[in-house]
């Protein structure tokens, strides 16, 4: 009988501290800092964000289409862009290449650990991926089930939902519902900071 492995949760920022985290992040300048902020709003993975291209972004439709070859599940993922994400994109410097987040080496993406270094310097958490878990916890604990049912939360994180059979019968990417949930998330993250108490990052389960 196979042993059940104890699941280890990736460390991140406690969701109650996200307004503080985002406010502190917005005060910092740099391409890696903006990439980290963009990850917060889009809930995508590190590699997906760092390789983001302007040709994938539709500012009119307010979407970012991540191609299948960059997705963990090898399926194209359309991300609804919230207002803070759109404002961030409009303010970014651009060159004659397609990458959204510029590095010191023209035409090459930022280092894979660039965003990790940002959040560690800020004193929040130990992993970039943990920010996705922060969103999931926030959605489960604070949002009405009509706005944030499990399948919409999982779709926002580009996770597989249900069995292969149920996937085959689902002919929607839940874009409208994801947009509503992610708008609420962005509004929360950019809302009033917590004035009382010291900011305490959560740690990985041991």
């Amino acid at each position: 009988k196979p042993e059940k492995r104890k699941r280890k949760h990736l460390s991140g920022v406690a969701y109650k501290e996200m307004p503080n985290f985002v406010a502190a992040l917005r005060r910092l300048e740099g391409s890696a800092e903006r990439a980290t902020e963009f990850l917060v709003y889009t809930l995508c993975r590190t590699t997906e964000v760092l390789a983001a291209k302007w040709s994938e972004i539709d500012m009119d439709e307010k979407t970012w289409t991540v191609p299948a070859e960059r997705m963990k599940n090898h399926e194209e993922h359309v991300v609804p862009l919230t207002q803070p994400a759109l404002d961030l994109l409009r303010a970014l410097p651009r060159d004659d290449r397609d990458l959204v987040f510029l590095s010191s080496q023209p035409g090459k993406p930022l280092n894979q650990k660039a965003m990790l270094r940002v959040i560690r310097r800020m004193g929040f958490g130990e992993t970039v991926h943990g920010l996705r878990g922060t969103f999931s916890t926030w959605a489960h604990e604070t949002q009405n089930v009509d706005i944030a049912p499990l399948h919409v939360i999982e779709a926002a994180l580009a996770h597989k939902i249900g069995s292969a059979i149920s996937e085959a019968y689902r002919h929607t990417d839940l874009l409208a519902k994801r947009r509503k949930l992610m708008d609420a998330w962005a509004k929360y993250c950019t809302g009033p900071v917590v004035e009382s108490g010291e900011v305490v990052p959560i740690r990985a389960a041991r």
Side-chain angles (χ1 to χ4, degrees):
K1 185 177 179 180
E3 291 184 11
K4 288 186 178 180
R5 292 187 179 182
K6 194 172 183 179
R7 182 173 296 175
K8 182 178 179 180
H9 296 284
L10 296 174
S11 67
V13 182
Y15 79 82
K16 292 182 180 179
E17 301 296 346
M18 280 304 293
N20 301 64
F21 174 77
V22 172
L25 185 59
R26 284 177 144 186
R27 290 194 291 268
L28 302 177
E29 296 182 359
S31 191
E33 286 76 3
R34 296 291 71 75
T36 306
E37 187 183 352
F38 190 69
L39 184 146
V40 169
Y41 302 143
T42 60
L43 308 172
C44 287
R45 298 175 177 86
T46 296
T47 54
E48 295 156 11
V49 170
L50 294 182
K53 297 178 174 61
W54 288 109
S55 55
E56 299 166 354
I57 291 171
D58 189 325
M59 299 293 278
D60 294 326
E61 294 296 323
K62 302 179 182 180
T63 58
W64 168 34
T65 303
V66 187
E69 58 266 26
R70 278 217 318 280
M71 294 299 300
K72 185 177 181 179
N73 61 9
H74 307 294
E75 294 180 3
E76 182 181 274
H77 182 50
V78 180
V79 183
L81 295 176
T82 62
Q83 192 59 51
L86 293 168
D87 292 341
L88 182 155
L89 290 171
R90 292 189 180 101
L92 287 177
R94 297 180 66 164
D95 61 11
D96 57 353
R97 295 173 175 84
D98 203 20
L99 280 175
V100 173
F101 300 103
L102 305 180
S103 72
S104 58
Q105 297 179 291
K108 292 187 178 182
L110 290 162
N111 185 280
Q112 286 287 318
K113 294 185 178 180
M115 292 192 288
L116 176 61
R117 287 193 284 265
V118 169
I119 65 171
R120 285 185 174 174
R121 283 199 303 269
M122 293 173 67
F124 286 86
E126 296 175 350
T127 70
V128 179
H129 196 83
L131 293 169
R132 286 160 48 86
T134 303
F135 159 78
S136 181
T137 302
W138 166 84
H140 282 293
E141 292 196 2
T142 71
Q143 297 303 290
N144 187 290
V145 70
D146 293 333
I147 297 175
L150 177 61
H151 61 282
V152 174
I153 296 171
E154 294 298 290
L157 294 167
H159 287 163
K160 287 283 188 181
I161 309 168
S163 66
I165 294 175
S166 63
E167 281 282 319
Y169 279 91
R170 187 179 295 111
H171 301 294
T172 175
D173 61 1
L174 303 171
L175 181 62
K177 292 184 177 182
R178 287 190 287 121
R179 186 181 295 279
K180 188 173 183 179
L181 176 59
M182 291 171 70
D183 279 342
W185 167 245
K187 183 177 181 180
Y188 171 74
C189 288
T190 56
V193 299
V194 180
E195 298 294 345
S196 60
E198 184 181 354
V199 174
V200 181
I202 61 174
R203 292 286 182 177
R206 301 297 181 185

